[in-house]
């Protein structure tokens, strides 16, 4: 949500963690994304947001990449929650638990960039919980 809802100036602010240049520390950038999410929630109000993650065509590259790598993993589902931390943790867990052999590239990318750190930091900011219960609809 933090990157997706941000203006181009906001995206630069998030990527640079509020500095003039892009953040050289990956964890600082990841924390900046969680903090931007908190800013949106604080502004809109947590009771006014429902989160929907559509986990399809999962590529190792960000959707902002103009020439992303082709997805190697099949679709794993659509997730909905009122808890932004729980929904993101659920999606990460769904990747790890998928029987799809294409998941290895995505897992390598997540781990090489400490991708779970955003979810951990978001939880520490009080945005939600990494614990969840899946209800199949």
């Amino acid at each position: 949500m933090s990157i997706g809802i941000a203006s181009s100036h906001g995206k630069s602010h998030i990527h640079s963690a509020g500095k003039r240049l892009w953040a050289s520390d990956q964890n600082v950038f990841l924390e900046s994304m969680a903090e931007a999410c908190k800013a949106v929630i604080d502004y809109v109000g947590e009771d006014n947001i429902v989160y929907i993650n559509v986990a399809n065509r999962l590529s190792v590259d960000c959707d902002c990449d103009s020439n992303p790598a082709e997805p190697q993993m099949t679709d794993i589902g659509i997730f909905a929650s009122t808890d932004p931390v729980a929904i993101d943790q659920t999606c990460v867990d769904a990747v790890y638990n998928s029987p799809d052999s294409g998941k290895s590239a995505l897992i390598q990318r997540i781990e090489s960039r400490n991708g779970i750190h955003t979810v951990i930091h978001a939880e520490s900011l009080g945005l939600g919980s990494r614990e969840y219960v899946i209800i199949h609809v």
Side-chain angles (χ1 to χ4, degrees):
M1 176 172 79
S2 61
I3 293 289
I5 203 168
S7 65
S8 46
H9 174 75
K11 287 174 180 37
S12 294
H13 190 77
I14 294 164
H15 274 282
S16 68
K19 308 287 186 230
R20 297 192 88 145
L21 301 172
W22 282 40
S24 58
D25 182 320
Q26 177 71 4
N27 284 347
V28 171
F29 162 61
L30 298 172
E31 290 167 7
S32 182
M33 285 200 302
E35 290 160 10
C37 182
K38 182 178 184 327
V40 172
I41 293 169
D42 289 347
Y43 180 78
V44 174
E46 67 182 327
D47 293 337
N48 297 315
I49 305 173
V50 173
Y51 304 91
I52 299 173
N53 288 3
V54 179
N56 70 330
R57 294 189 46 78
L58 299 172
S59 172
V60 296
D61 289 324
C62 179
D63 58 2
C64 65
D65 189 327
S66 61
N67 190 20
E70 277 299 311
Q72 295 182 23
M73 190 171 176
T74 60
D75 300 350
I76 57 174
I78 298 172
F79 303 85
S81 180
T82 56
D83 182 328
V85 177
I87 195 171
D88 284 351
Q89 184 66 59
T90 303
C91 288
V92 169
D93 291 346
V95 168
Y96 276 86
N97 295 323
S98 171
D100 188 329
S101 62
K103 72 182 182 182
S104 61
L106 189 53
I107 290 171
Q108 190 279 330
R109 182 62 63 102
I110 291 168
E111 292 178 355
S112 71
R113 286 159 176 75
N114 196 19
I116 196 65
H117 188 67
T118 302
V119 179
I120 293 167
H121 190 63
E123 183 180 49
S124 76
L125 294 172
L127 299 183
S129 173
R130 293 177 64 201
E131 294 185 24
Y132 58 87
V133 174
I134 295 178
I135 300 170
H136 295 275
V137 181

